Amino acid sequence: MKTDMEEFFVVHTKPNQENKAKKNLEFQGFKTWLPIYKKAVLRKNRLFMREEPFFPGYIFVFFDISKDNWSRIFSTLGVKYLITFDGKP
């Protein structure tokens, strides 16, 4: 399938390393999206608000499959693998 536009693809991250993967992918020039929500956590009788990923272990990466060098994603720190089918994202 040939396309001339950016699409989003799913990257599986190493455990609790969504932010690390996001930062390293952005450093390489990829656009990313990590949906988060605020979660109330009770510790020592105090309520804290903490940001949690909406999809733990996954982030979204935007790129053009025909133009961008997406093979760099596989060796990015924090990334476990790019979800693919028959070798294509």
Side-chain angles (χ1 to χ4, degrees), residues 9-37:
F9 300 93
V10 181
V11 170
H12 185 66
T13 64
K14 294 180 180 177
N16 300 314
Q17 294 191 20
E18 296 89 359
N19 287 317
K20 183 179 201 176
K22 180 181 183 338
K23 183 182 87 174
N24 288 315
L25 287 166
E26 288 174 350
F27 182 74
Q28 294 178 50
F30 290 102
K31 294 179 199 169
T32 63
W33 182 50
L34 175 60
I36 57 171
Y37 69 98

Side-chain angles (χ1 to χ4, degrees), residues 32-46:
T32 63
W33 182 50
L34 175 60
I36 57 171
Y37 69 98
K38 293 191 186 239
K39 178 180 180 180
V41 179
L42 185 65
R43 286 198 183 148
K44 298 182 183 180
N45 294 328
R46 295 188 71 187

Side-chain angles (χ1 to χ4, degrees), residues 37 47 54:
Y37 69 98
L47 190 63
F54 199 75

